[in-house]
Amino acid sequence: MTEATIEEFQKLDLRTATIISVEDHPNADKLYILKIDLGSEVRQLVAGIRKDYKKEDLINKQIIVIANLKPAVLRGVESNGMLLAADDNGKISMLTTDHKVSNGIKIR
């Protein structure tokens, strides 16, 4: 494990967001295209969670995202952030809040 300084960690803008729509990625069987509500804006994320989550189970789920990640194009679709998830021997589990909070709240 590589250690990070507190200054490096503080560069990450971790925030709460709610998934408002989910679509299958047209060019990848493992990816979804998510629209998320960050409180001040709606963004699109591409996430590799399709084999572990059904679309209908994701709607209105509150997640934790890295909001200041540089945009990336994944299989032809732009992603503007990244959701946080644990990978337990190939089983994905998204990081969520334990109760509903406002979208866009900074994680400290």
Side-chain angles (χ1 to χ4, degrees):
M1 176 177 5
T2 302
E3 292 181 341
T5 65
I6 191 68
E7 291 81 14
E8 290 169 324
F9 176 76
Q10 288 173 334
K11 290 180 184 179
L12 296 176
D13 187 6
L14 303 175
R15 297 199 177 255
T16 57
T18 298
I19 299 171
I20 55 176
S21 73
V22 183
E23 299 297 327
D24 294 339
H25 192 295
N27 302 318
D29 292 339
K30 296 180 181 179
L31 301 176
Y32 278 137
I33 301 169
L34 310 175
K35 296 283 190 211
I36 62 164
D37 179 353
L38 264 171
S40 61
E41 66 180 300
V42 172
R43 285 204 194 166
Q44 176 173 282
L45 302 183
V46 177
I49 58 172
R50 193 162 155 184
K51 69 179 179 109
D52 294 292
Y53 290 93
K54 295 177 184 172
K55 285 190 241 186
E56 59 269 18
D57 294 335
L58 293 171
I59 301 298
N60 295 319
K61 185 173 281 291
Q62 194 163 58
I63 59 174
I64 309 302
V65 299
I66 303 174
N68 64 334
L69 197 63
K70 288 184 182 180
V73 176
L74 303 172
R75 299 270 182 112
V77 176
E78 187 169 334
S79 183
N80 293 289
M82 178 184 289
L83 66 81
L84 297 181
D87 183 343
D88 185 13
N89 294 316
K91 176 73 174 156
I92 301 299
S93 179
M94 292 187 303
L95 275 63
T96 62
T97 58
D98 67 347
H99 62 273
K100 189 76 170 168
V101 297
S102 299
N103 290 325
I105 297 295
K106 187 164 179 64
I107 306 300
R108 301 184 189 272

